Amino acid sequence: MTSADRHFSPSEAADLLGVSVKALRLYEEKGFLIPSRSATGWRAYGPEQISRAREIVALRALGLSLAQIGRVLARDEVEMARVLAGHQANLETRIAALMSALSQVGALRSELGAGRLPALSDLADLAPSNLPEPVAFELPWPWGGERFELKRLAKLTFIVGPLFSGKTRLARRLTETLPDAGFLGLERLTDTAAAKARLADDPALAARVAESLRWIVEDGGTESDAVLALLVALEAAAPKILVIDMIEDGLDQPSQEALMAHLRRRGAEAKPVLCLTRSNAILDLAAITTDEAILFCPANHSPPMLVAPFPGAPGYEALASCLASPDVRARTAGVVAYRPDQASQSA
């Protein structure tokens, strides 16, 4: 048997494609990918299945929902036109950003050619970053005032820790310190009128939210006030950075998974999001990308630390122990640490 004829197990195929085994199973459930079976009944992925899976992974990378992928695979002409138009718009945005950067480089080279050395700050401005200056502050209670520094702001940051670890206080301090940041608390679950009023006052926002909601529903999520409140905050022009308290609250598992797929499909220009979570449907450690980061608050109130999503990495096992399925998470919904002499609560 040649390498071209080889059949892969689910874990081997997932490693080859750069996706999780869960993703392969989801593609199978949707009818996009039908693995063959070994003589003992185990799933196997041969050349045809691997080729189809690569196509699906590529379409996901373009930002397509599962429903859109289904229509593209069915050769839906209207859907293909919509996909190409959206991709063209994204490319034009990226080209405009590159042209701006090229103009900056050209101007600096002209200065250098005229015998004027560019300022170091001008050179540093050429580096792509949505956080020009590192953010640093003294950690609030329950820490001991240690200095905390965030050098890079990822497109998506997860803030995780056990109960009473202080992660909500960390999130609020980050909101106070990050430029143009806003905090979306749990009041969003009861004050739905505020989100709906924003939609009524801003037709453009309403259109963006409707498009995002359609994507989430197509991906298996359920339309709800909790989803709507999140999308209004995500799609609004301000704040520029969004910090979300317990992002999974009010969402069932399919909605959590669809929301995460939506957050990951957003373009490079989308606002950075920092979200507190204890749900493994929100923070799937096997699905973390290079555009994402994990901040872990230890139970012993050691300073928060960035944790790499790999078994054996410092803090990984403690981090993983804080995550649970949505069903298990529901048992502790609303449980917070409370300290009467403190002004706010800490999840």
Side-chain angles (χ1 to χ4, degrees):
M1 181 178 68
T2 66
S3 58
D5 297 326
R6 180 182 173 187
H7 282 63
F8 297 86
S9 70
S11 60
E12 290 172 332
D15 288 342
L16 180 66
L17 296 163
V19 300
S20 65
V21 173
K22 185 169 71 174
L24 292 179
R25 190 66 59 88
L26 179 61
Y27 302 156
E28 181 182 347
E29 291 173 0
K30 295 292 183 181
F32 303 160
L33 184 64
I34 303 175
S36 58
R37 295 281 178 168
S38 68
T40 54
W42 295 101
R43 289 176 175 79
Y45 297 84
E48 289 186 10
Q49 289 90 1
I50 292 295
S51 177
R52 170 51 65 91
R54 288 189 192 280
E55 293 172 347
I56 296 168
V57 171
L59 291 172
R60 278 301 243 178
L62 285 176
L64 274 65
S65 70
L66 292 175
Q68 288 176 308
I69 289 175
R71 291 192 288 270
V72 169
L73 294 178
R75 314 295 292 170
D76 184 314
E77 183 177 347
V78 173
E79 189 61 58
M80 287 186 174
R82 186 183 296 122
V83 167
L84 290 172
H87 189 52
Q88 179 177 338
N90 287 335
L91 288 174
E92 288 171 349
T93 299
R94 290 164 60 187
I95 288 172
L98 287 173
M99 291 300 294
S100 175
L102 280 173
S103 177
Q104 288 179 276
V105 171
L108 293 177
R109 292 189 68 187
S110 295
E111 284 193 25
L112 190 59
R116 295 188 298 273
L117 287 175
L120 292 179
S121 59
D122 291 333
L123 291 174
D125 286 343
L126 297 175
S129 172
N130 53 11
L131 191 60
E133 299 289 340
V135 169
F137 53 83
E138 291 185 356
L139 288 166
W141 182 92
W143 292 281
E146 299 95 331
R147 183 176 175 82
F148 176 83
E149 184 172 291
L150 187 65
K151 296 182 179 179
R152 169 182 173 269
L153 186 60
K155 177 179 176 181
L156 184 59
T157 300
F158 302 92
I159 302 176
V160 183
L163 287 171
F164 318 120
S165 64
K167 58 186 177 294
T168 303
R169 295 179 186 275
L170 173 65
R172 289 189 177 277
R173 182 59 59 88
L174 283 167
T175 306
E176 295 167 358
T177 309
L178 290 167
D180 300 316
F183 187 81
L184 185 64
L186 296 179
E187 68 278 357
R188 67 182 185 272
L189 301 174
T190 54
D191 187 15
T192 56
K196 293 177 180 178
R198 293 183 72 179
L199 294 178
D201 293 339
D202 190 340
L205 172 61
R208 294 195 298 273
V209 169
E211 175 63 18
S212 296
L213 183 59
R214 180 184 69 82
W215 201 96
I216 286 175
V217 170
E218 285 184 349
D219 242 20
T222 301
E223 182 174 350
S224 66
D225 286 344
V227 170
L228 186 67
L230 291 171
L231 292 181
V232 168
L234 286 166
E235 296 296 341
K240 299 295 186 184
I241 300 171
L242 186 62
V243 184
I244 306 175
D245 194 6
M246 289 303 165
I247 191 171
E248 66 264 25
D249 278 20
L251 308 182
D252 58 19
Q253 181 160 345
S255 296
Q256 291 182 35
E257 293 171 350
L259 175 65
M260 291 313 301
H262 172 65
L263 289 174
R264 289 190 167 111
R265 68 178 281 272
R266 301 173 305 145
E269 72 285 355
K271 68 177 66 178
V273 173
L274 299 89
C275 56
L276 286 80
T277 186
R278 295 203 309 274
S279 169
N280 60 17
I282 295 293
L283 175 50
D284 181 349
L285 292 170
I288 292 293
T289 73
T290 55
D291 289 331
E292 300 168 17
I294 306 171
L295 269 177
F296 177 59
C297 297
N300 63 1
H301 298 142
S302 295
M305 58 188 294
L306 284 169
V307 175
F310 310 112
Y316 178 89
E317 283 71 22
L319 164 72
S321 72
C322 294
L323 301 172
S325 69
D327 287 344
V328 173
R329 259 293 286 125
R331 298 176 196 165
T332 56
V335 176
V336 295
Y338 178 67
R339 186 177 172 91
D341 60 342
Q342 298 294 325
S344 61
Q345 295 179 340
S346 174

